[in-house]
Amino acid sequence: MVEITCVVDARAELGEGTLWDPKAGVLWWIDIWKKLIHRYDPATGKDEVFETAEYLGCLGLREKGGLVLTMTDGFHFFDPATGKFEAIVDPEAHMPKTRFNDGKPDRQGRFWSGSMFEVPGQPIEFIGALYRLDPDLSVHKMIDGIGCSNGLAWSPDSKTMYFSDSHAGAVWSYDFDPATGDIENRRTFIDMTATGGVADGATVDAEGCYWVTIPVTSKVCRYDPDGELMETVVLPTDLPTCCEFGGKDLDILYVTSAVLRRPASHFVGQKNPGGLFALDVGVKGLTLPAFKG
């Protein structure tokens, strides 16, 4: 049995962006719709929050200190000590129907983030993209025609990149060149239709297996490098959204969840909707390097 503990009963509207800081021993995560950056310290149980001006996408540690992140209006640096944001680039400034979403640093110190279509009440348009921010702060569009960027992760040897469009019903794998950050040879890694949901945030463990959250289903699933389902963990609430390993020994899988502006009546029988959960899944994860820019 997997031990599941709610460590922050945050009732996040849309929790996402899990990121472990091994030096500080804290977990960074975000609430996109509340425009909050969270810093959870498992040693004290304290969860500190920082307000932002825009909806958030994702986070990465920065080698020079602080964070690199995306918000609705593109890539930024953030200094938690001063609360100041510094704009880097907005590659979709001309696109009012999109915002940035899932992403993280690769193992070579680049920072990746993808965008998504978000206009409530309108049919989905596949106009988003996945971008790579290099240490020289140049930005590169790597994949286009995306409805909702999600599921980004890399194999331990950095030879494979995983990525999903939540509206396309699949997680894809790509050949990844760690020296250049180039990708090629897209193929289907997981057909998500069998899960009853879509791919959201994901990570890879030290054994090279892919963990992905599947909103609406309460599931967090582990797949082997061939895309075969190995394990399913069921949370006590229905919308898990993102996951990453953390803890001193990288043996805790932290999972965010979401309330998603739904009424309290929806959560009858559920526990800690919108909470941050800690799962003892019996395997260890890998740390991601800081962005080198």
Side-chain angles (χ1 to χ4, degrees):
M1 292 290 292
V2 172
E3 182 178 339
I4 302 172
T5 304
C6 179
V7 292
V8 182
D9 189 12
R11 293 198 68 86
E13 288 292 350
L14 183 50
E16 286 277 5
T18 43
L19 174 72
W20 179 253
D21 182 342
K23 291 183 179 180
V26 299
L27 183 87
W28 293 93
W29 63 285
I30 61 178
D31 186 335
I32 292 175
W33 285 356
K34 285 186 179 177
K35 303 177 186 176
L36 293 175
I37 299 171
H38 290 254
R39 180 169 59 191
Y40 167 66
D41 185 345
T44 64
K46 181 181 179 181
D47 185 64
E48 187 177 4
V49 297
F50 305 84
E51 295 183 359
T52 67
E54 301 281 347
Y55 285 167
L56 290 147
C58 59
L59 305 169
L61 300 174
R62 188 185 181 197
E63 198 171 71
K64 296 178 181 179
L67 303 174
V68 59
L69 53 83
T70 51
M71 296 191 289
T72 298
D73 57 351
F75 292 83
H76 296 256
F77 291 131
F78 173 59
D79 182 355
T82 64
K84 292 184 178 179
F85 293 85
E86 178 186 348
I88 304 170
V89 61
D90 184 0
E92 296 191 355
H94 60 296
M95 300 174 65
K97 295 182 178 181
T98 64
R99 70 163 173 84
F100 276 85
N101 197 49
D102 186 61
K104 63 182 62 176
D106 64 25
R107 305 193 193 287
Q108 290 70 44
R110 310 174 192 93
F111 184 63
W112 297 65
S113 185
S115 60
M116 62 176 287
F117 174 80
E118 188 169 71
V119 182
Q122 290 193 14
I124 295 166
E125 297 178 29
F126 291 82
I127 58 175
L130 176 66
Y131 297 89
R132 188 190 77 216
L133 182 69
D134 286 353
D136 64 1
L137 304 188
S138 61
V139 65
H140 308 269
K141 183 187 288 187
M142 304 303 295
I143 302 171
D144 58 13
I146 298 299
C148 180
S149 296
N150 262 317
L152 190 66
W154 285 266
S155 61
D157 62 6
S158 291
K159 293 182 178 180
T160 303
M161 185 183 87
Y162 303 100
F163 177 69
S164 174
D165 180 345
S166 292
H167 297 311
V171 178
W172 301 304
S173 57
Y174 297 78
D175 294 336
F176 184 78
D177 185 337
T180 65
D182 291 336
I183 56 175
E184 62 180 0
N185 187 27
R186 189 184 90 171
R187 60 270 188 195
T188 298
F189 176 58
I190 305 168
D191 180 351
M192 296 299 298
T193 57
T195 68
V198 301
D200 205 331
T203 190
V204 168
D205 64 32
E207 297 176 6
C209 295
Y210 181 82
W211 292 82
V212 60
T213 53
I214 307 177
V216 180
T217 70
S218 303
K219 298 175 184 176
V220 184
C221 292
R222 185 191 191 209
Y223 293 85
D224 73 14
D226 294 321
E228 295 295 324
L229 179 63
M230 298 181 68
E231 184 176 0
T232 299
V233 179
V234 179
L235 292 190
T237 189
D238 65 342
L239 271 178
T241 51
C242 196
C243 60
E244 189 57 75
F245 285 91
K248 180 181 177 181
D249 298 317
L250 296 176
D251 57 353
I252 300 296
L253 184 66
Y254 287 101
V255 181
T256 52
S257 63
V259 173
L260 216 62
R261 298 173 179 157
R262 295 171 297 171
S265 59
H266 177 86
F267 300 104
V268 174
Q270 297 189 31
K271 293 181 180 179
N272 307 114
L276 172 67
F277 295 88
L279 282 58
D280 182 356
V281 293
V283 295
K284 295 184 178 182
L286 300 164
T287 55
L288 290 174
F291 175 59
K292 294 184 181 298

